[in-house]
């Protein structure tokens, strides 16, 4: 069902920089804003980034987002053990549906 | 504090009906769309649809149209997700979330804790 494609996994050691890509199309990411959500094990998803690159209050600035064309990216700078989670990109599609990415599991080595 | 509190876990048999809830507090409930999201075991997030409490305007993802019913009772600031006849494949955790922002900027800024539904004979 996911129309946004993410790598299934990403990893890094503490302090490293990790980048997660999100590939969409002209009907979703290419035309509308991208958001990113973090799902820690056993908890509800949490909004990390909205409007491509905006962080809600309380989200550490080591999380940053960007968009170019039909793709979006999430960067975690200075990876920490508590960042081990599943990350999902998302956005509106021209079909008026909200679409999620396939999800990326981040592992801290 | 802005929060969404969902009803508790459910264990049901195939063919049974179910209605789960999502109660908002700490904000003007009628002014924000509420979305529902499914996560099946070991899988990703699936958008199910949304409802605007102010006028009950409802939109469904094509994948869920006719499979579930989304409703709202603004008098108790609560949104609902309902099944008339559950299937084993409905086993999942269901989240409600508040939609914030305008137009294509809408994003889910507050989430309920999730309701786990298990359907098994």
């Amino acid at each position: 069902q996911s129309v946004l494609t993410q790598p299934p996994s990403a990893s890094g050691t503490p302090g490293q920089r990790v980048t997660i890509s999100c590939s969409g199309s002209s009907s979703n990411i290419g035309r509308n804003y991208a958001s990113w959500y973090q799902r820690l094990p056993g908890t509800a998803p949490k909004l990390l980034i909205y409007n491509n690159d905006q962080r809600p209050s309380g989200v550490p600035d080591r999380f940053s987002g960007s968009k170019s064309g039909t793709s979006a990216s999430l960067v975690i700078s200075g990876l920490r053990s508590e960042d081990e989670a599943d990350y999902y990109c998302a956005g509106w599609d021209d079909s008026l549906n909200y679409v999620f990415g396939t999800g990326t599991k981040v592992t801290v080595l | 504090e802005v929060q969404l509190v969902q009803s508790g876990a459910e264990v049901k048999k195939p063919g049974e009906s179910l209605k789960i809830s999502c109660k908002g507090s700490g904000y003007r409930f009628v002014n924000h769309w509420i979305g529902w999201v499914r996560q099946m075991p070991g899988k990703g997030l699936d958008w199910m649809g949304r409802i605007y409490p102010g006028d009950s305007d409802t939109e469904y993802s094509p994948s869920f149209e006719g499979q579930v019913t989304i409703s709202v009772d603004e008098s108790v600031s609560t949104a609902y997700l309902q099944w008339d006849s559950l299937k084993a494949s409905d086993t999942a955790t269901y989240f409600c979330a508040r939609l914030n922002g305008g137009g294509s900027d809408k994003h889910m800024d507050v989430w309920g804790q999730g309701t786990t539904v298990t359907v098994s004979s």
Side-chain angles (χ1 to χ4, degrees), chain A residues 80-104:
Chain A
R80 301 177 66 158
S81 58
E82 59 260 39
D83 299 333
E84 192 159 282
D86 294 326
Y87 293 83
Y88 295 89
C89 61
W92 290 97
D93 188 270
D94 284 352
S95 63
L96 298 183
N97 280 305
Y98 202 65
V99 290
F100 287 99
T102 48
T104 299

Side-chain angles (χ1 to χ4, degrees), chain A residues 20-43:
Chain A
I20 302 170
S21 61
C22 171
S23 177
S25 70
S26 58
S27 67
N28 41 66
I29 299 293
R31 193 192 302 269
N32 300 307
Y33 291 104
S35 297
W36 289 89
Y37 299 90
Q38 176 194 56
R39 181 150 194 233
L40 295 165
T43 68

